[in-house]
Every structure is written in structure tokens, then in C-alpha cells.
Amino acid sequence: MYKFLKRFFDVIFSFLLLVILSPVLLICFIAVKLDSPGPVVFKQTRLCKDGKEFTMYKFRSMRVNSEHTGTGVYSYKGDKRVTKVGNILRKTSLDELPQLVNILKGEMSFIGPRPVLTYHPWPFEEYTETQKRRFNVRPGITGLAQVNGRKAALWDARLEFDVDYADNLSFAMDFKIFFKTIVSVLKSESNENVGETVGSKK
């Protein structure tokens, strides 16, 4: 029952926020466009519910083709590839706003495990059966792992949080994650990778 209500609220609130925040979206769009050459929206293939692939949207915060230089697709504190506007967008999490479209399309939810890359930390078929339970729910803009370390957590720990969330999905848990996320964003806590985060499979 809650999964149905969760999807209902996802649709309603994602639509309302797209309308209400349209001026903010426009400002971000213009700022990114003026700050550096390249597309305003960064598109990347990720895995969603049941391990299916989808295109996730974000405001571009790094220079074009940055994933082919430096440390790859993930950035780190002080990463020179991040643009000036991109740095602001990341600190305020405004770069995630285009994912409201993903939510409206049914590919994501406001709260759930963060959508992983198709090949990182490893391909879908290489997840253990336990870890694959994280894919029983839609991925989210924020989740249990994000309010318990965010990018500072090793992948094994993140996946354990993801599985715990998927196995115990409830309104109470979502409510708690929502307010913890607000606090984390306001404090800009653990929003940068601190090093190698790929752990061993269990």
C-alpha cells in the first residue's frame, strides 16, 4: 500500500516542484551555459528498479569530457574539473534538480538508493543476491546511505544501507531520511569523494 502512495506523492510533488522551481531551474540553466561551453544538462546511464538502465539527468557541474581525464567519472575535494558554477550547484545540491523529470517519468523516487552506474561499483550481474535486493525499489535523489556518510562511505557499507532500506521501506523511514537530508545539505556534509570507495563484494 505504501509503495502505491509513495509513487502517487512522487508524481504530485515532482510536478509541483518543477512548476514552482521553474525560475530556479532557469537561473541554473543560464548560469551553467554562461560558465563553460557544453551542454547544460549532463546525461548518464544508470541502473534503476530491477536493474534496468535509464538516463539520469543533472545540471552539468564539470567541464565537458571530464570523465575521460583525471580520476574518471567521480570527482573529489578540490577537483579542478568542477566549474565555478558547478561547485555552487553541488554544495547546494541544485545540480540534482533535473532528476525531478526522472521522478515524474517513473525512473526514480525522491527517496531510495542512489542510482548506480552500469559498471560501477560493478556490473549488475556481479552484485550478490543480497545486494541485488537494493534494486527492488526505485532509486532516489537521496537515501539511507546518503544520510549515513554520503560519498565518504565505502561501497559495501552503502549497499548494506540500500538493502536495509529496500527491505524495510516505510513512511517513517522516508520521513526520517527526508529531514536528515535537509540537515546534510545545509551543512554540506560528506558531499565529496574522499578516495577509493569501492569495497569488496560480500
Side-chain angles (χ1 to χ4, degrees):
M1 181 63 179
Y2 177 61
K3 286 186 178 181
F4 172 80
L5 290 175
K6 181 179 173 71
R7 178 59 191 152
F8 174 77
F9 287 120
D10 278 342
V11 172
I12 297 299
F13 286 115
S14 61
F15 177 77
L16 288 176
L17 285 175
L18 281 170
V19 174
I20 296 171
L21 297 177
S22 56
V24 177
L25 288 162
L26 180 59
I27 292 172
C28 291
F29 185 96
I30 295 173
V32 173
K33 191 67 176 178
L34 295 176
D35 186 47
S36 64
V40 172
V41 177
F42 175 68
K43 301 177 182 179
Q44 191 174 58
T45 303
R46 301 268 182 140
L47 296 180
C48 62
K49 189 175 183 293
D50 301 322
K52 296 179 180 179
E53 296 184 5
F54 79 106
T55 301
M56 189 185 78
Y57 310 122
K58 297 181 72 170
F59 279 123
R60 181 174 57 82
S61 59
M62 300 176 74
R63 294 178 178 83
V64 176
N65 295 322
S66 290
E67 65 270 24
H68 301 303
T69 62
T71 58
V73 295
Y74 291 112
S75 63
Y76 51 89
K77 188 173 183 178
D79 194 337
K80 300 298 183 181
R81 299 172 300 170
V82 178
T83 64
K84 292 180 179 179
V85 168
N87 188 49
I88 296 173
L89 294 178
R90 288 182 173 213
K91 285 183 176 180
T92 57
S93 293
L94 290 173
D95 60 323
E96 310 283 0
L97 286 181
Q99 287 163 45
L100 290 171
V101 176
N102 290 124
I103 295 175
L104 195 60
K105 291 170 64 179
E107 297 162 337
M108 290 181 63
S109 176
F110 279 101
I111 300 173
R114 281 297 292 166
V116 293
L117 291 165
T118 56
Y119 57 88
H120 187 87
W122 35 76
F124 178 74
E125 59 272 12
E126 293 184 16
Y127 286 83
T128 66
E129 291 305 309
T130 296
Q131 290 171 343
K132 283 182 179 179
R133 296 210 300 270
R134 78 182 299 283
F135 297 103
N136 290 340
V137 296
R138 289 184 177 86
I141 292 179
T142 185
L144 189 60
Q146 283 62 52
V147 297
N148 285 280
R150 300 184 76 180
K151 294 183 179 179
L154 293 174
W155 269 105
D156 280 340
R158 295 190 204 184
L159 294 173
E160 287 179 6
F161 281 122
D162 292 345
V163 172
D164 183 33
Y165 176 83
D167 289 347
N168 300 285
L169 177 63
S170 68
F171 173 77
M173 181 177 287
D174 278 357
F175 189 79
K176 186 176 182 179
I177 292 172
F178 173 74
F179 282 101
K180 278 192 172 184
T181 297
I182 293 176
V183 173
S184 294
V185 169
L186 292 176
K187 292 183 177 180
S188 295
E189 292 178 340
S190 305
N191 201 26
E192 297 287 352
N193 285 305
V194 294
E196 181 57 66
T197 57
V198 178
S200 61
K201 303 182 187 71
K202 293 182 178 180

